[in-house]
Amino acid sequence: MTDTTFLYELARDSRTTELVAHLRRSSNPVVRRRAAELLGDLSEHPDRDAAEEVVRALVAAVRNDDDDSVRARAIDALYRHGEDSFERLVRELSGADADADTMSDRTLSRRLEDWLTADHSEFRLVAATALGQVGDSGSLAALVAATTDPDPRVRARAVESCGLIGHERCLGPLRARLDDPTDLVREKAVRALGSIGSEDALRSLVPIARDDNETLRRIAVEELGQFGSLDPVVILVRALTDDADAVQRAALLSLVELFVDAPTERTRRVRDAVADQISSADTRAVVPHAVDMASESRRTAVRHNAVWVLGYVADADIDDDQRDAVYDCLIDALDASDDHTARLAVASLVELGSDELERRLQILVDDGDVPADVAERAEQVLEEIGGSRSAAVVTNAVDYTYVREPEDYTRRHRGDDGESNGSA
């Protein structure tokens, strides 16, 4: 029996270069196999150059070692190093190596299909992943068979690849994986059905939106936002009151996505239907998520519609803190970089007219440091809700100062000597 204790000592001391040397040059496959396994344990090495050396050596071992057990351990090690490292291996094996450059997609697919029947599950894992990236629909039968592989990692990758290829023939096998005993496989099945995106595929997700597993509910609700019709609206509105904040937020985003992605001629009908359903929901659950989307989303269309949602729901039965958050969000949106968002903010503020809002807007209008276009929009809101531009409004107002950045507020409330002037 080969003694590999010395390799443990190298791994314990993070001596990666020496471990790599044994992986590359040892004549004993037991030593190479153990070196590959221990290099997988060093996935969080703080030295970036050392980590790159390890990944490069493991990829080379998978491609070049003449012992399948060593190659299998190297694949497993790359898998444990994380998605980026594993995907790098898949790319090199399926599209970037010298053979692949001269190999047709079908020939490459056949080679990968052979790996799907390998004894080592690690080879099957790589093949199940790579076939989705090659995208050859001729490999569907092999991939579908792999969705029942005994290794849950292989099943998960095969399911994901079925979603990437996106053929309707995958629907039955993917639906079967919604009851898989492994959560990861079920999550991948939900995503894959969403990737296929047909009505049949998405209808399969409706029961999952009520699953006991929070992650599965959230993913199903996210995918239902691309349904392209009003069918899932009731399900999504029900999810607005889910016990989990993440599911609530996903539900609101999916509702917004329904009319973001609706054809132009159907946008108003979809928006009206969504609004009608939201009005029956607990708006106290809706408002915080709409505020976040209006303030933080990187997608302009999502911000637009979140601003609209706030104008629609925030005059309902919400508490003072939530109403203040809505006012803050919409008043900030008056200074949006795109004019459409600013105009939507004006319209929503008009819907929410109140004495408190008038006071805030009046201070904004009378603050000489506020940008002219923001002041004009605030004045427009005041005019439309009948606000009075009187000294009494300002006198009775709370201290509401328009600022662009937090440090502006501090500076605005300091005297010339830098001392606080006592305002709060």
Side-chain angles (χ1 to χ4, degrees), residues 135-148:
D136 182 4
S137 59
S139 299
L140 273 180
L143 268 178
V144 165
T147 63
T148 60

Side-chain angles (χ1 to χ4, degrees), residues 182-192 213 215-216 219:
T182 301
D183 285 346
L184 176 63
V185 179
R186 297 178 69 195
E187 291 168 15
K188 295 292 187 182
V190 173
R191 290 290 189 203
N213 183 300
T215 301
L216 288 174
I219 296 172

